Every structure is written in structure tokens, then in C-alpha cells.
Amino acid sequence: MNQQIADSLAVALKQQIIGEDILSLLEKPKSLELGDVAFPCFTLAKVWKKSPQSIAAHIASQLNHDSIERVQAVGGYVNIFLDQQKVTQQVLRKILHDKQLYGTTPTKMGTVVLDFSSPNIAKPFSMGHLRSTVIGNALANIAEKNGYQAIRINHLGDWGTQFGKLIVAYQLWGDKEAISASPIEELLKIYVKFHEEAEQDPTLNEQARAAFKALEDGNEEAQALWQWFRDVSFVEFQTIYELLGIHFDAFIGEAFYNDKMPSVVTELKEKGLLVESEGAYVVEMEEMPPCLITKTDGATLYATRDLAAALYRQQHYQPQKMFYVVGNEQSLHFKQLFQVIEKMGYPWAKNLQHVSFGMMLKDGKKMSTRKGKVVLLADVLAEAIATAQRNMEQKNPSLPNKEQVAKQVGVGAVIFNDLKSHRLNDIEFSIEQMMNFEGETGPYVQYTYARICSILDKKKAPTQDMLFKSLGEQAWPIILLLEQFPKTVAMAFEQADPSQIAKYALQLARLFNKYYAQYKILAEDEQQASRLALCQSVAIVLKESLALLGIESPENM
């Protein structure tokens, strides 16, 4: 609709300003009394040396479109009132025709590679891992909705100095039987113990560095321990991913790139980018510290492996974009990484984006695996599902498939609680807040969808071929919001911000519930068909919004 208005404004302005520029200037008025769309004339006033008021008056006299009912020039704004009957007809027909494809870009836009979740092996899957996992999955879904093929890559943390620490810890304090019985829990204990002991005995860190170097050099004992740590971790991770409903196209960890790093170092050297610095090798950066490529003992670092990974992904997938969904604390690392790739002469460096996010806090502090201050995601999901089941036993004891619905609601609550906030914000971990089934929560949106399903069980919605009537003051904001869904989907991808979808779903649910409280949907009158079409359209968009976030929508709650 905004595009149509922008095109009409361009005609009224005799193409003196192009439609794309007009589109970026269009605003939503603060209240419906000021119209449905507003065009401010202040930018034009500076260029044309005329008052905004006179420009607005001129445009208002010239503007014409079938979907516009009337136009007002007020204080330098062109306030546009849409024809509610025609727009209602257009929006409802479109949604009922497209169904779950509404808002989908049919054009194949190419490939997007997403690096997300990427937990470290031999460590429990904690609440700290949740953010990258659900943000990355939502972005992959949103990318596909925008016409891209999404390649989901789990860049497992299966290499690095921490494995030297774990090998030393196992050799000193490991109990094979205990670890076999409860792998992740026991490995975490000895990892935490290593850091506690290392504070008193710094030589442990030297032993860990030596152990990792031995691992890199192919030491059989070190490699056997590493493979064991990796295998037991993978089993636990898969259980979590299945519960969250998340899949990956590739589990390619850091170790995969071991044989690909020497060629990267050689290329940097041949291009004159590698500089020796106190026995180590670095690439000099502009306006930031040098990027460390190899340490004094020749061991590689994150940057070396991420360079190899980026070159491999570009060669294999040739993506239009490459997203790294990793926390804020790694911002410097990715700035360095992208600049090194740019210095290497690769134009696709501009397609790389660090999708950063804030921390998951507990009592105002970052959760830390090495200090043992960790909340396990499996425990949180189990508690959320149990809470959902208790609520259902109280409110709807005869509900069929209670266990399945409790899982959908509990898991959905955890995911939505993360995604409703802008990703750059820190999130304070709170089971109580997460499981509050009123207000700005996933269960609230899910319940709204289930409520509509119960209505449509009694009376089916008509087809898109009908003539739908305007439904009045309370329904009009819903129609306008439904019309904005495709734009919201596009903006969520452009800004790599799933919270736009979550906030949209909340707003749509609130508007519908307000409407539902004032109107009898099933009343036998001439507007019943239009009301049912509105219900069906809201249900379609709510379900698709939740699906984009990675959340299921139960039809009964």
C-alpha cells in the first residue's frame, strides 16, 4: 500500500522526486484522526525553497489513487486517508489467497550462510548458548521468507586452547567411569577445577598450551581424548536441538579447517600482509590492534580458523550474505576478520556481517562456564514445559494431547522471551518472567491463535472470492497492520532483527483481542463473513509470524 501511495505521490510531483525516496519519507501518523499515512514536506521545502505548507497544499490537490478516500494538507504534512472498504477487500483477499505464503518473496535471491549456535564441545548447553541458537534460526527462517536459500552451519567449538586445558584436567583428575556415566556434567567439573587450580599454579596453563600443541601435531592420546569429548557432547546437543525444533545443514567445527589453515597463512605471506611481531605473526589493522594469525609456538588462533572457514564457505556456497550470529564481546574479532579478508583483495568481504547480541545475565552478571555459574538450557526447557502442563491441567483439564501442547507452549515461551527484545539488549534470566502467560509472551500470542481456531471450528471463513465489507473503527487498525506484514518481514531481514517479527505478532494479537472483546464474531448479520475472513487472516499471519521465530502454534490450549 505504501508503495502504491509513493508511486501516486511521484505522479503528483511530476516525477521530480522518485518513488523510492518518497517511500522512505512516508510516516504513520500518531493517531487515525490524522490519516492512515502521512507525507512530510519539510525535506522538499529545503530543496524547492518553498514553505512546507504550500508544497503540502499543492500535493493534496493533485494526489489521486483508487485506494485513497481523501487527502488533507495540515502543517506541512500531506495526511492521506485510505478507502477502508477497498483496502479491507484487497488485504483480506490477498491473505486468504496466499495463506502461509503471504509476505513471501517468490524471487530466488541467492544464498545466505548463517553461522550460529556453535557451542563448545565438552561443555553443557547452557542458557548462554540460547541467544545465538534462536536468533540464528529465526534469521534463517526470515531469510527463506525473503526468497533466499538459507545454509545453516553449526561451527562447533571443537578446537583451541581450552581442549589443552581439558586434556590436562582429565589426566590429573579425570574419572573415566564417572565421565562415561555423566559425560558433560563430569567434564564441566574438571574444567572448572582446572581454572580454580590454575589461579594458584600458573604452570597448569603452560601444560595446557603444550597439550593443545600436541593435539595439533597429531598426538594419538590427545586426539583420542578429543574425539571422545566431541562424541559425547554431540549426543547432548542433538537432544536440545530436537526439542527446540532446530536443524542444521552442516555441523562443521573448527577442527575441520586444520588442514586448510596452512594455505591461508601462505596466502597472507605471499600477499605481503603477514608481519612478524615478537615471534608471532600478525596482520596490521587500521584503527584497531593487529590481527594475530599464529602464536610464537606456531599454534593457530580463532582468526586463522575463521579465515579458512570464510574462504571455504565462499568457495562452496557463493553466498550473497554471510551472517555470524555471535555475542557482542566478539565484535573486535569480527572487525579484524572482515578487514583481513578485505586486505586479501576479496570483494565479497562486504557481504560479511557480524550479527551481534547482548548477554544472558543471571543476577546482573554474565553466566560463566569456567566458574561453574551456569544454568542448563535442558533444565529450563523442562521446567517451562512442566509449568505449561500445570497451567493446562488447571484451565483446560480435558484438553487432548496435553503433553504435546505443553511442549509447544513451554519451548515457545523460552524462545519468544529471547526474541521479543532487540538482539543488542542484554537479557536477565528469569523463569518467572519467561513463563508469565499474560502480556508480552509467546503463550499470549499462541493463545490468541488458538482462540481464533476455536471460532473457526464453529464457522468456517469464506473464500477470497467474496466481497468483504469494511468492519469499522476497531477492525481498521488490524487491517492496516495485516497489510504491513510483508514490509515487516523484509525489514526484519534487512536489519537482521527477529524482534521486529515478535513485536509485530504481539501487536496483532493485542489488536485482535481488543476487537474480539467488543464484537460478536459469529453474530448472524451481513458482516459475519467479513469478520470470519478477518479472523482467518489474523490466524494465518500469527501462525506464520511464530513459525518465522521457530515457534509452533497449537490449535487448542
Side-chain angles (χ1 to χ4, degrees):
M1 188 58 62
N2 279 11
Q3 185 63 62
Q4 292 175 25
I5 291 170
D7 293 342
S8 298
L9 282 164
V11 172
L13 291 165
K14 296 182 170 58
Q15 306 297 335
Q16 294 178 65
I17 176 170
I18 62 173
E20 285 185 13
D21 292 335
I22 294 172
L23 191 62
S24 67
L25 292 172
L26 292 178
E27 297 178 0
K28 182 180 178 181
K30 293 179 180 178
S31 69
L32 288 175
E33 288 76 20
L34 297 173
D36 302 308
V37 183
F39 177 65
C41 298
F42 306 100
T43 302
L44 291 179
K46 294 175 184 176
V47 178
W48 294 353
K49 310 298 183 188
K50 293 182 180 179
S51 73
Q53 292 82 358
S54 65
I55 296 172
H58 170 73
I59 294 173
S61 68
Q62 300 294 316
L63 189 59
N64 184 37
H65 188 275
D66 286 347
S67 295
I68 296 176
E69 182 181 84
R70 57 193 171 93
V71 183
Q72 290 180 345
V74 180
Y77 283 87
V78 179
N79 291 338
I80 300 164
F81 295 81
L82 298 173
D83 185 315
Q84 294 189 13
Q85 176 77 25
K86 288 181 179 176
V87 174
T88 297
Q89 176 85 348
Q90 181 180 334
V91 171
L92 296 185
R93 276 191 167 186
K94 177 71 173 167
I95 297 172
L96 293 176
H97 175 269
D98 291 356
K99 298 184 172 61
Q100 74 272 14
L101 295 179
Y102 179 59
T104 302
T105 302
T107 311
K108 294 301 177 188
M109 305 296 289
T111 301
V112 174
V113 167
L114 300 103
D115 174 332
F116 67 99
S117 193
S118 310
N120 289 327
I121 65 169
K123 293 182 184 176
F125 205 115
S126 73
M127 281 298 292
H129 297 109
L130 177 70
R131 303 223 63 198
S132 174
T133 305
V134 298
I135 292 169
N137 184 58
L139 276 181
N141 295 336
I142 292 166
E144 289 171 339
K145 187 79 172 172
N146 278 278
Y148 291 90
Q149 179 188 5
I151 305 295
R152 298 162 168 84
I153 294 179
N154 197 322
H155 189 67
L156 286 170
D158 61 0
W159 208 248
T161 309
Q162 71 265 31
F163 296 105
K165 296 176 181 179
L166 199 56
I167 288 167
V168 171
Y170 177 76
Q171 290 169 338
L172 289 173
W173 312 295
D175 181 331
K176 189 172 183 178
E177 288 185 9
I179 292 172
S180 297
S182 184
I184 299 296
E185 184 181 348
E186 291 300 319
L187 289 173
L188 176 61
K189 281 182 184 177
I190 62 173
Y191 184 75
V192 171
K193 183 175 177 64
F194 177 92
H195 284 278
E196 291 171 349
E197 295 291 331
E199 289 180 6
Q200 308 300 321
D201 181 5
T203 63
L204 284 173
N205 287 320
E206 294 173 17
Q207 293 177 49
R209 282 190 287 271
F212 176 57
K213 186 65 169 62
L215 180 61
E216 281 202 309
D217 292 340
N219 177 277
E220 286 188 16
E221 181 188 359
Q223 287 210 324
L225 285 173
W226 171 83
Q227 187 64 51
W228 180 40
F229 297 156
R230 192 183 193 278
D231 291 345
V232 296
S233 301
F234 195 73
V235 172
E236 179 164 307
F237 296 160
Q238 281 288 54
T239 303
I240 295 292
Y241 292 134
E242 286 174 15
L243 192 54
L244 290 170
I246 293 174
H247 74 276
F248 291 90
D249 298 291
F251 282 91
I252 302 178
E254 295 177 53
F256 176 80
Y257 301 101
N258 282 346
D259 62 350
K260 298 166 181 59
M261 289 185 285
S263 62
V264 174
V265 176
T266 300
E267 184 177 348
L268 289 169
K269 194 178 293 182
E270 289 175 349
K271 290 181 174 178
L273 296 172
L274 216 53
V275 177
E276 187 176 354
S277 175
E278 299 178 7
Y281 282 93
V282 303
V283 175
E284 297 289 349
M285 299 278 100
E286 278 94 43
E287 301 179 357
M288 62 182 114
C291 181
L292 192 57
I293 302 299
T294 60
K295 293 190 279 190
T296 53
D297 61 0
T300 54
L301 293 103
Y302 283 123
T304 330
R305 291 191 285 278
D306 277 351
L307 282 169
L311 292 166
Y312 175 86
R313 292 166 185 173
Q314 179 63 30
Q315 180 183 353
H316 279 73
Y317 302 114
Q318 299 180 345
Q320 273 60 52
K321 286 182 179 290
M322 208 182 296
F323 288 140
Y324 294 82
V325 187
V326 184
N328 287 337
E329 59 268 32
Q330 294 296 323
S331 291
L332 175 60
H333 166 73
F334 285 106
K335 285 177 184 176
Q336 290 177 322
L337 177 70
F338 300 163
Q339 193 175 118
V340 172
I341 293 170
E342 189 177 358
K343 283 176 175 287
M344 292 172 80
Y346 293 114
W348 49 267
K350 67 180 184 299
N351 300 331
L352 307 177
Q353 183 177 347
H354 175 206
V355 180
S356 58
F357 54 85
M359 294 183 289
M360 181 72 73
L361 306 176
K362 186 183 179 187
D363 301 324
K365 296 179 182 178
K366 181 185 176 184
M367 297 178 182
S368 172
T369 307
R370 66 177 58 181
K371 293 180 180 177
K373 294 180 179 177
V374 64
V375 176
L376 300 184
L377 179 55
D379 292 346
V380 172
L381 291 172
E383 187 170 346
I385 293 168
T387 302
Q389 193 149 6
R390 284 195 298 272
N391 284 353
M392 286 168 200
E393 292 288 356
Q394 293 172 0
K395 296 178 181 178
N396 193 358
S398 61
L399 178 71
N401 304 318
K402 275 198 286 283
E403 288 186 7
Q404 181 187 353
V405 175
K407 176 186 166 186
Q408 292 172 323
V409 174
V411 172
V414 174
I415 295 173
F416 196 91
N417 183 69
D418 190 300
L419 296 179
K420 71 179 182 181
S421 301
H422 190 280
R423 57 181 168 78
L424 291 177
N425 297 335
D426 292 339
I427 293 181
E428 180 69 32
F429 170 74
S430 166
I431 280 281
E432 293 75 20
Q433 181 181 348
M434 201 175 287
M435 296 310 300
N436 178 1
F437 281 32
E438 301 294 331
E440 298 188 347
T441 66
Y444 173 75
V445 179
Q446 288 172 313
Y447 183 73
T448 304
Y449 172 77
R451 167 179 276 170
I452 297 172
C453 288
S454 70
I455 295 170
L456 296 173
D457 276 345
K458 297 168 186 170
K459 186 84 174 180
K460 295 296 180 187
T463 67
Q464 72 269 15
D465 297 326
M466 281 195 60
L467 287 171
F468 299 119
K469 298 180 180 297
S470 170
L471 290 167
E473 186 178 344
Q474 294 298 330
W476 181 235
I478 302 176
I479 295 293
L480 291 176
L481 190 60
L482 289 171
E483 198 275 333
Q484 289 293 302
F485 181 64
K487 180 184 176 183
T488 304
V489 170
M491 291 295 290
F493 178 73
E494 288 170 19
Q495 297 176 17
D497 177 18
S499 74
Q500 295 198 28
I501 303 290
K503 289 169 184 170
Y504 175 94
L506 280 170
Q507 187 181 0
L508 183 58
R510 280 195 298 265
L511 286 175
F512 177 82
N513 285 323
K514 186 177 179 182
Y515 175 77
Y516 176 82
Q518 296 188 25
Y519 291 86
K520 293 182 178 179
I521 306 295
L522 297 173
E524 297 284 348
D525 58 31
E526 63 176 9
Q527 288 188 318
Q528 186 198 65
S530 296
R531 287 194 299 271
L532 289 169
L534 179 68
C535 288
Q536 180 72 64
S537 298
V538 171
I540 288 168
V541 175
L542 282 180
K543 184 176 182 179
E544 187 62 12
S545 297
L546 289 172
L548 289 174
L549 300 176
I551 299 171
E552 295 182 356
S553 301
E555 295 186 1
N556 296 288
M557 281 178 67

